[in-house]
Amino acid sequence: MFAVIKSFSWLRTVPWLFIIAVYSTLLLSQGPANAVSNFVAQLSIAATMAVGSFVAGGTALGGGAVAFPVMTKLLAIEPATAKVFSLAIQSFGMTAAALTIIFSRIPYYKQVVLIATPMAILGAVLSLLFIADHLPRLAVKGVFSALLLCFALTLAWRIYRRAQHICSQTKIIVNKTRVALIATLGGVASGLVGSGADIAIFALLVIAYNANIQRATATTVIIMAVTSVVASIVNYFYLETINSQIQAYLLAAIPVVVLGAPLGAYVCAKVKSGQLISFLFLLIALEVSFTIYELLSVV
């Protein structure tokens, strides 16, 4: 019994070991002076991801839900660059959050993770290789806003169900084919805008299976973390889209997200659903309003 307790205690340190490893690697590769200098130069990106990482770890929206609209609308960065950055930064932040979820034993739907993750990866890779380069800039922004509206409607449906005194389910039985299909479509969206698999699976779990919102959130964080890692490997080694500018963004943001995302995961497991939902509605309303304004300006 003592050995089991001791082993579990050690496992709880894995997220902290990951954070220490990331910080050590950054300092050794750049040097303290260069690291601070780059952080100051890219302070707007780092500040953006301070919020984005918390959202990524604590909600079913990836860090791209903050990074993508801020970068494209406020910082005037091209959507293609914002997408590549979003996927890459999620590889660190959401991985840190996923490790926190797994090794802190925060509940999630394991069967959904096992089914959805490989299909989300497949969709993201296909999107990066064959679809992303053929869509215009505004179309990509429109896809992202549509995803957020889908997420908002899911939350609204959840509120309605609770108002009808229909309790959420901590144990669910899913249709494997349905989960695989939705995960693939979400993966395609992830290849376009840096997020999507998490939103799609969250919507499915909440609407089709009345899943517990905290467990559904933890599930999507793990799925999007793995999807982001694989998609970023494709971007870096095969497509070579992670250029020097994106690398500078990443070096400034990584120290922020590996702390912010686990914090978000922990807070999400403790905070009341109503507070979390109100925060998400505010983010979604701001993003969609900006997109509608831009589309009307073009027309």
Side-chain angles (χ1 to χ4, degrees):
M1 177 64 71
F2 177 75
V4 173
I5 294 174
K6 185 177 180 181
S7 175
F8 175 65
S9 298
W10 181 85
L11 289 176
R12 291 176 68 92
T13 67
V14 169
W16 289 106
L17 293 175
F18 175 76
I19 294 171
I20 292 170
V22 169
Y23 269 82
S24 300
T25 301
L26 289 174
L27 288 174
L28 289 173
S29 62
Q30 298 178 88
N34 288 335
V36 173
S37 175
N38 182 68
F39 182 85
V40 172
Q42 307 298 340
L43 190 58
S44 60
I45 298 294
T48 298
M49 291 317 303
V51 179
S53 61
F54 186 86
V55 171
T59 74
L61 295 175
V66 173
F68 189 85
V70 170
M71 293 178 76
T72 56
K73 293 177 172 66
L74 298 183
L75 303 181
I77 295 173
E78 283 297 312
T81 299
K83 173 205 59 178
V84 173
F85 171 78
S86 295
L87 284 169
I89 199 62
Q90 286 172 174
S91 300
F92 291 90
M94 297 189 81
T95 295
L99 291 174
T100 300
I101 290 167
I102 294 169
F103 291 106
S104 297
R105 294 191 173 180
I106 294 174
Y108 63 95
Y109 297 112
K110 295 182 177 64
Q111 182 187 23
V112 176
V113 170
L114 293 175
I115 298 170
T117 302
M119 302 311 297
I121 291 171
L122 174 63
V125 172
L126 290 176
S127 180
L128 288 172
L129 296 179
F130 304 111
I131 302 174
D133 290 340
H134 302 289
L135 287 180
R137 182 177 65 90
L138 276 180
V140 173
K141 290 185 177 182
V143 167
F144 187 77
S145 294
L147 283 171
L148 291 186
L149 281 175
C150 173
F151 186 79
L153 291 173
T154 303
L155 293 181
W157 174 255
R158 168 61 178 227
I159 293 171
Y160 170 78
R161 294 289 291 269
R162 291 191 67 177
Q164 301 301 313
H165 305 292
I166 301 175
C167 298
S168 62
Q169 301 297 315
T170 55
K171 293 183 180 181
I172 59 175
I173 299 175
V174 299
N175 182 300
K176 296 180 181 179
T177 301
R178 181 187 290 177
V179 171
L181 176 61
I182 296 300
T184 304
L185 294 175
V188 171
S190 298
L192 295 176
V193 297
S195 186
D198 44 359
I199 298 173
I201 292 297
F202 181 83
L204 176 67
L205 291 178
V206 172
I207 293 175
Y209 301 106
N210 193 29
N212 174 271
I213 191 169
Q214 278 84 5
R215 291 189 181 219
T217 296
T219 301
T220 62
V221 168
I222 296 171
I223 294 168
M224 197 65 227
V226 180
T227 303
S228 296
V229 169
V230 176
S232 294
I233 290 172
V234 173
N235 276 329
Y236 186 77
F237 289 104
Y238 186 76
L239 298 177
E240 298 182 348
T241 51
I242 301 182
N243 54 37
S244 58
Q245 185 60 65
I246 294 176
Q247 289 180 31
Y249 294 159
L250 289 171
L251 291 174
I254 287 172
V256 175
V257 302
V258 295
L259 290 175
L263 177 62
Y266 179 79
V267 170
C268 175
K270 304 295 182 181
V271 75
K272 293 181 179 179
S273 297
Q275 296 172 328
L276 184 63
I277 289 171
S278 298
F279 174 65
L280 293 175
F281 274 142
L282 176 61
L283 288 177
I284 292 168
L286 289 172
E287 200 286 330
V288 173
S289 297
F290 274 118
T291 298
I292 292 174
Y293 174 78
E294 188 169 0
L295 289 172
L296 291 177
S297 298
V298 173
V299 176

